[in-house]
Amino acid sequence: MELEGLLRRNGVGESFRALAELLPGAAVVVTDAERRVLYWSPEAARIVGHAAERMEGRVCPDGVICDRDEARPFGASVQLTRADGTSVWVRHYARVLPDGGAIHLLALDTEGHGTSGRSASGPGVTDFHGLITRDRSMLRVIQVVRNVAETETSVLVRGESGTGKELVAHAIHLEGRRRNGPFVAVNCAAFTPTLLESELFGHTKGAFTGAVASRKGIFAQADGGTLFLDEVAELPLDLQAKLLRVLQERTFVPVGGTEPVHTNVRVVAATHRALREEVRAGRFRDDLMFRLRVVPIFLPPLRQRPSDIELLVRHFIEQAQRGSPRVVTSIAPEAMRALLSYPWPGNVRELSNVVEYAFAVGRGPVLTLEDLPPELREAGEVRPRTSGASGSPGRARSTPRVPVASIGEAERVREALEVCQGDIHAAAERLGVSRTTFWRMRKRAGLD
């Protein structure tokens, strides 16, 4: 083969191919003097998105190993465009051979750059700044995030606890013009009203008992960057009025102060509550809701993303192995059945905690049902029902969906209609039900 001839001519060892295929997270590409691909490693296929049989023998596409025929510095950080149009950051190392060919190593670069849309662990899988998915509804969310990040428009992220609202806010920051500025997050439910006002706007010395020195608030700390206000529906009404003033006038007055302070901050808010319901109940200002909710982004709960569960389990296992002596090479079928059957009320955060629990209590290369928390073990111990008069095994039934009514039917129907802009077919598909069932749900919710 041409590859072996080139390697022999240039004094590169015969074990090259075996070594190249042992490098996780690093693509190895060998080219001749005309930039024709002689070798394209399996990791090159995974990272760049082009299969070896498509690339070998052809001229390497522009942007993979060079930029307009210009050599890159050794170890340069480069953003590659993958075959599916997404992008990935890599470090590029190259050794130019005496006859003009070259060996290129493209190692995934996760330091200093977001993993903007790269393939996480297989075809169709996206890792977008920590949002790992293959689910169509989540991929739509990611596209909205990409688009809105290019603007300064206010964004409200809606979703249950643990769905990744802060990850979305951080992705908006990293994808936007403020990426080099600070990203500051605060949970509005974690403070008393008095402390929250000081946390947001800062205070002067002597403003209240215990204020022994002046202190900058998070609006000042986030100047030039992005401020993420989590659980914004928990703000008391008087602080809602002050937040609205900041958003409108771009100034605030610290607690105990008299002079306004200018701020240049993009605010991304999040809540698990429906702000329209909070407005109707008199707990939230409608003018602030309209100011925050220019672009609403709805994160689906994990139970509506069943194709992501196994993907996320394996991702969290990989993470857990980095700080643990345990190495898990497989998941027992009954353990996986339990993980897939569980409704995940705590969403992705709960799933991460379950994997951490499994590494704390379990041992050995197989993650078993006994490694899981009690509530997961109960899900795994449910056996498929059988049919037949004599008790002979019948066809196993699929895992039933979590009843929609049990998790807030009216709110979910309203949310689905809003996300899908009134498209009944799309809304029904989003909830995983037929159009007829969705029509009944809509009628029960009083939304017909």
Side-chain angles (χ1 to χ4, degrees):
M1 289 180 62
E2 282 189 283
L3 173 64
E4 277 69 25
L6 178 140
L7 296 176
R8 281 196 301 271
R9 289 196 304 273
N10 291 279
V12 180
E14 294 182 355
S15 57
F16 170 85
R17 187 191 298 268
L19 290 173
E21 295 181 1
L22 288 175
L23 295 173
V28 178
V29 176
V30 180
T31 57
D32 64 14
E34 286 71 45
R35 286 176 45 200
R36 284 187 305 128
V37 175
L38 303 181
Y39 176 71
W40 188 268
S41 74
E43 278 294 275
R46 187 180 76 83
I47 292 171
V48 185
H50 292 295
E53 54 266 28
R54 183 179 182 277
M55 298 305 304
E56 290 179 353
R58 299 187 178 187
V59 173
C60 193
D62 288 335
V64 176
I65 59 171
C66 65
D67 300 316
R68 296 182 300 278
D69 292 323
E70 297 174 6
R72 292 170 176 156
F74 189 80
S77 184
V78 182
Q79 188 175 25
L80 300 184
T81 300
R82 304 180 67 252
D84 61 2
T86 59
S87 59
V88 58
W89 284 94
V90 299
R91 291 279 180 182
H92 185 188
Y93 305 88
R95 175 184 173 184
V96 179
L97 303 173
D99 67 358
I103 299 174
H104 305 267
L105 178 70
L106 306 171
L108 286 175
D109 180 13
T110 57
E111 296 183 9
H113 298 287
T115 51
S116 179
R118 70 174 174 85
S119 174
S121 60
V125 177
T126 294
D127 180 350
F128 182 75
H129 301 295
L131 292 165
I132 300 172
T133 187
R134 60 161 61 96
D135 178 76
R136 283 190 298 172
S137 62
M138 278 298 294
L139 293 174
R140 287 194 292 268
V141 166
I142 288 170
Q143 188 56 56
V144 172
V145 169
R146 281 196 173 106
N147 293 344
V148 79
E150 298 175 359
T151 72
E152 290 289 301
T153 304
S154 297
V155 177
L156 178 70
V157 187
R158 283 283 315 280
E160 297 177 7
S161 177
T163 49
K165 297 187 289 292
E166 185 168 346
L167 285 176
V168 168
H170 199 205
I172 291 172
H173 173 73
L174 292 173
E175 291 284 313
R177 293 190 293 269
R178 295 174 178 264
R179 65 178 66 89
N180 295 322
F183 176 82
V184 182
V186 63
N187 188 323
C188 298
F191 299 90
T192 64
T194 301
L195 287 177
L196 182 56
E197 183 176 7
S198 172
E199 187 73 15
L200 290 174
F201 307 120
H203 61 257
T204 61
K205 181 179 179 180
F208 51 83
T209 302
V212 296
S214 297
R215 179 182 180 276
K216 282 187 175 182
I218 59 175
F219 267 99
Q221 296 171 33
D223 193 53
T226 304
L227 173 58
F228 173 54
L229 295 177
D230 197 8
E231 298 301 348
V232 71
E234 306 304 320
L235 280 173
L237 286 168
D238 58 335
L239 279 187
Q240 291 177 30
K242 293 181 179 181
L243 175 59
L244 179 63
R245 190 175 306 116
V246 175
L247 296 176
Q248 290 175 335
E249 301 174 7
R250 298 289 181 178
T251 61
F252 64 90
V253 177
V255 178
T258 56
E259 295 297 322
V261 178
H262 179 76
T263 182
N264 174 23
V265 171
R266 179 179 190 169
V267 172
V268 178
T271 178
H272 71 281
R273 301 181 186 274
L275 287 190
R276 291 187 186 277
E277 297 290 342
E278 296 299 297
V279 168
R280 279 193 282 269
R283 294 187 291 265
F284 205 83
R285 296 176 60 108
D286 58 353
D287 47 4
L288 179 58
M289 178 192 72
F290 291 124
R291 189 79 184 188
L292 292 173
R293 195 181 177 281
V294 177
V295 176
I297 295 178
F298 297 88
L299 289 180
L302 186 57
R303 61 180 167 271
Q304 290 180 14
R305 300 162 47 191
S307 63
D308 282 351
I309 294 175
E310 182 175 356
L311 173 68
L312 288 166
V313 168
R314 298 189 184 281
H315 167 72
F316 289 130
I317 286 174
E318 288 178 8
Q319 282 193 331
Q321 286 178 157
R322 294 171 193 164
S324 171
R326 186 182 186 187
V327 176
V328 171
T329 58
S330 63
I331 304 171
E334 62 273 16
M336 183 57 73
R337 182 168 59 245
L339 291 162
L340 294 172
S341 301
Y342 187 63
W344 299 108
N347 294 291
V348 179
R349 183 185 297 121
E350 184 182 13
L351 177 54
S352 173
N353 292 340
V354 164
V355 173
E356 186 176 349
Y357 175 99
F359 268 75
V361 304
R363 296 294 181 269
V366 180
L367 193 151
T368 67
L369 184 63
E370 289 69 32
D371 294 342
L372 302 179
E375 60 271 23
L376 270 293
R377 292 201 296 271
E378 290 172 8
E381 288 165 358
V382 175
R383 294 289 182 260
R385 297 179 182 177
T386 59
S387 61
S390 63
S392 59
R395 186 176 181 179
R397 298 182 183 179
S398 60
T399 303
R401 289 192 181 98
V402 179
V404 174
S406 69
I407 50 179
E409 182 173 291
E411 174 58 24
R412 291 190 60 226
V413 170
R414 184 181 295 109
E415 179 179 301
L417 286 168
E418 193 164 6
V419 171
C420 300
Q421 300 179 334
D423 186 323
I424 299 296
H425 179 77
E429 184 182 64
R430 178 178 176 82
L431 296 185
V433 299
S434 68
R435 290 187 62 176
T436 303
T437 300
F438 185 82
W439 180 83
R440 294 195 190 101
M441 291 164 55
R442 187 176 169 215
K443 188 174 182 65
R444 286 197 299 268
L447 298 173
D448 56 346

